[in-house]
Amino acid sequence: VPALRKGQYTFDGCSANGGHAFKRAYKDSYALVALNGGATFTGVPAGTYVDLVTGQSYTPSNGTITVNAPKTQGQLRVLVKGWTGGKVGVDGKFIYATSPVAHGGDVKFEDPGTTEYYTKDDVIGDPEVKFSPAGGSFKTETLSVTANLSETAVSGWYQIEGKSRVNVTKGAPANFTVGDGMQYGTSVKVSWGAKNAAGAEFNGTVTYKKVDPNATITVYVKAPTGCNMYAWGTNSAGAEVKPCGAWPGKALTETTNINGTDYYYHTFDDLESVNVIFNSDSGQTGDITGIDSDRFYEYDGNSTATEVEENVTPTLGAKMSPNGGEFVDNVNVTITAVAATSAWYKIGNGQQVSFSGSANFTLGNDMTVGQSVTVSWSVTDGTQTKTGSATFKKVEKPVEPEGITIYYDNSVTRWPSVILHHWPVSQSTWPGVDMTCIDTANNIWKYTVPTGTTGVVFNNGNGDQTNDVLNPIHNHLYKGTGNRGFTDLGVYEAGVDAIEADATDVTPVYYNLQGVRVDNPAAGLYIVRRGNKVAKEIIR
């Protein structure tokens, strides 16, 4: 059964009765699984489902199937859509239809062990061009990149910004280089397209940024396969950022060899210091905070990470703190020469100022709001010279918003209504307050919480919810991804001004109290959505 071998999991619409329940789907293969008891599944595609354990057939009613099973350890029910093979196996001591069956003999056996594992990397998704490395920062003069087609892609292409399109052939990796002639701090975008067997094309981009090796922080970790790095910090504009994405962060795949040891790594720029958590399916470390220079760690794949020492020759250059960015009123800057015998810096078109080791200066006192200034530097070790620069911009002090406006993308979770629980200022009572749908076409919802709110949870008021969203950011759009997951999509920018439709002019959409859409409602109580208005109504 393809769905059971490598289908995607979801716990949405799964209500276990004493144990655990989930759904798996792969292309047109679909399975419902209940462990240690029965379960109710909602939002089930139409069709006939056969339980491999009992041979019993099920047909969803309004998208719902309920399967009963004894609440015993090791009990199992597996309902497969379109299965024609009937019951698989015979009843035994642990897995059975109604009562356990003993077959006699010695139940002991030799376990040959598992030789093949299916992980999230085996999930086959949409066609794409896969890049290695897949975007990010690099601190070498140039960076070599390899492009391959994914399993479901039959043809594809990539195009470096400002250059011609290059075709990618199945089974033939394409190699290219970025960085030549680029200045520190600049980026280049690589666009791609990939077609599936039906001829549908999927598109995307990756971005590579060339950074000053002395103005970055690289975190190296020796770890088992399957390690993730979650990171957070404050950038030069004063905003809290998560450069490795939402929890659990970035799956580490790129390695480099340092003194004979292979390390996974990630390079951060535009951060004075960074905080990280290493994690895997087996556990996570505590917060590792205040990393302000290159660091090396060894992670056991569970809960322990130990810092290790590596002797690395410093690279000639200079580091400024902060390394450019926006500031209010004025900013104090420290510049430090690395592995240099002499160095100088220059503010705008001013005079060169020689320094040894470190130097400090202040910007902004003679600048107007909106004005920028570039600080250039040059260092030498007697045999080679390196130069660089950083740009600072004076800005107005931002106006503190009256409250924090939060947006929610309901296109994946597709709840009939979205409810927001927030805390600690004027904390709401669970499940919270109703959000307002401001864009029915894209299923975008909005609510403004009080200033000082440090956490929110999106939910449907009927058991489905996201994990805690800590320190929500004003005007950011959060997308629910199912199974309690969410993604911070950044500042919400509507394509057009959202127009609240008149509820009397909008076709109503009906849902039962379990959140399942009902196309032809009979008499009863329903949740009804008309445009951005949601209410419970009785049909008589």
Side-chain angles (χ1 to χ4, degrees):
V1 179
L4 295 175
R5 291 178 57 242
K6 52 184 177 180
Q8 291 182 318
Y9 284 88
T10 181
F11 298 95
D12 291 345
C14 303
S15 178
N17 182 19
H20 306 278
F22 58 87
K23 304 172 184 175
R24 294 193 74 174
Y26 177 78
K27 297 182 179 179
D28 58 350
S29 179
Y30 203 89
L32 312 174
V33 181
L35 303 172
N36 302 342
T40 297
F41 301 92
T42 59
V44 178
T48 299
Y49 293 74
V50 175
D51 181 9
L52 305 188
V53 176
T54 65
Q56 182 178 348
S57 297
Y58 296 82
T59 301
S61 174
N62 291 326
T64 300
I65 287 179
T66 296
V67 57
N68 297 312
K71 297 180 182 179
T72 54
Q73 194 73 22
Q75 193 56 256
L76 178 68
R77 293 292 183 268
V78 183
L79 280 61
V80 177
K81 181 183 177 183
W83 177 255
T84 58
K87 179 175 179 177
V88 176
V90 296
D91 288 358
K93 290 185 177 182
F94 301 101
I95 300 176
Y96 48 83
T98 57
S99 59
V101 177
H103 296 283
D106 189 352
V107 298
K108 297 181 179 178
F109 64 93
E110 291 295 326
D111 185 356
T114 300
T115 59
E116 186 173 1
Y117 299 86
Y118 287 99
T119 70
K120 60 184 179 182
D121 296 326
D122 295 306
V123 176
I124 300 176
D126 294 330
E128 63 177 318
V129 178
K130 293 188 173 182
F131 297 89
S132 179
S137 302
F138 65 97
K139 55 182 183 179
T140 52
E141 286 300 316
T142 60
L143 177 69
S144 297
V145 182
T146 300
N148 280 289
L149 294 181
S150 66
E151 184 174 343
T152 53
V154 297
S155 64
W157 54 266
Y158 72 86
Q159 184 174 18
I160 303 173
E161 190 174 4
K163 296 185 179 181
S164 301
R165 181 178 294 188
V166 178
N167 290 327
V168 182
T169 304
K170 189 80 170 182
N175 301 296
F176 60 91
T177 301
V178 296
D180 189 24
M182 290 174 59
Q183 297 295 316
Y184 291 143
T186 59
S187 300
V188 60
K189 182 170 66 175
V190 181
S191 304
W192 61 266
K195 290 185 177 180
N196 60 18
E201 182 168 288
F202 295 75
N203 301 96
T205 61
V206 292
T207 301
Y208 299 89
K209 183 177 182 180
K210 187 174 184 178
V211 296
D212 183 347
N214 293 296
T216 63
I217 300 169
T218 299
V219 176
Y220 302 86
V221 58
K222 178 183 177 183
T225 302
C227 172
N228 304 310
M229 184 188 297
Y230 176 71
W232 70 99
T234 304
N235 65 15
S236 59
E240 183 171 313
V241 294
K242 299 174 182 177
C244 291
W247 181 264
K250 175 184 178 182
L252 299 177
T253 57
E254 305 299 328
T255 61
T256 186
N257 189 279
I258 305 292
N259 298 332
T261 301
D262 287 332
Y263 285 94
Y264 294 109
Y265 68 94
H266 184 80
T267 298
F268 303 91
D269 64 287
D270 197 29
L271 292 175
E272 293 300 303
S273 67
V274 65
N275 315 291
V276 304
I277 296 174
F278 301 118
N279 65 91
S280 70
D281 291 339
S282 301
Q284 67 180 69
T285 67
D287 296 358
I288 304 173
T289 59
I291 302 173
D292 56 6
S293 60
D294 293 356
R295 301 284 178 85
F296 296 82
Y297 295 91
E298 184 168 352
Y299 173 48
D300 66 358
N302 194 343
S303 60
T304 303
T306 305
E307 186 173 356
V308 296
E309 294 291 334
E310 289 284 2
N311 293 320
V312 181
T313 303
T315 303
L316 176 67
K319 180 176 182 178
M320 275 190 284
S321 177
N323 189 46
E326 297 178 347
F327 66 92
V328 176
D329 296 329
N330 55 56
V331 59
N332 295 317
V333 182
T334 299
I335 183 168
T336 303
V338 180
T341 55
S342 64
W344 57 259
Y345 70 87
K346 181 175 69 172
I347 301 173
N349 296 320
Q351 297 294 317
Q352 295 180 5
V353 179
S354 298
F355 70 98
S356 176
S358 297
N360 301 288
F361 55 88
T362 301
L363 301 174
N365 292 331
D366 56 352
M367 295 172 61
T368 58
V369 171
Q371 183 180 356
S372 297
V373 63
T374 297
V375 179
S376 307
W377 55 261
S378 176
V379 296
T380 181
D381 60 4
T383 59
Q384 60 176 329
T385 299
K386 289 287 186 70
T387 60
S389 64
T391 300
F392 298 81
K393 182 178 181 180
K394 186 171 183 176
V395 297
E396 287 185 330
K397 184 176 181 179
V399 177
E400 294 294 330
E402 293 184 3
I404 303 171
T405 298
I406 300 171
Y407 299 87
Y408 181 77
D409 183 337
N410 189 37
S411 60
V412 172
T413 47
R414 300 185 67 80
W415 297 329
S417 61
V418 181
I419 301 174
L420 183 72
H421 176 52
H422 61 85
W423 67 88
V425 179
S426 301
Q427 178 169 327
S428 60
T429 300
W430 182 264
V433 293
D434 292 330
M435 298 187 74
T436 300
C437 184
I438 62 168
D439 183 347
T440 55
N442 295 302
N443 218 335
I444 305 298
W445 299 65
K446 173 184 176 182
Y447 191 82
T448 300
V449 297
T451 300
T453 295
T454 60
V456 302
V457 169
F458 302 99
N459 69 93
N460 67 351
N462 195 40
D464 287 339
Q465 66 176 77
T466 66
N467 289 320
D468 294 355
V469 180
L470 300 180
N471 300 312
I473 302 174
H474 181 60
N475 280 339
H476 271 219
L477 173 64
Y478 298 88
K479 182 175 183 177
T481 57
N483 193 23
R484 300 174 70 99
F486 68 89
T487 300
D488 183 351
L489 299 180
V491 175
Y492 171 65
E493 296 179 359
V496 295
D497 291 336
I499 300 175
E500 295 190 4
D502 184 347
T504 60
D505 297 330
V506 178
T507 302
V509 180
Y510 293 87
Y511 301 84
N512 63 23
L513 297 184
Q514 287 72 45
V516 178
R517 180 167 174 165
V518 180
D519 292 328
N520 298 299
L525 178 63
Y526 295 89
I527 300 172
V528 184
R529 187 172 76 191
R530 291 182 174 84
N532 61 359
K533 307 297 183 182
V534 178
K536 290 183 179 179
E537 296 183 8
I538 297 177
I539 296 180
R540 303 184 185 280

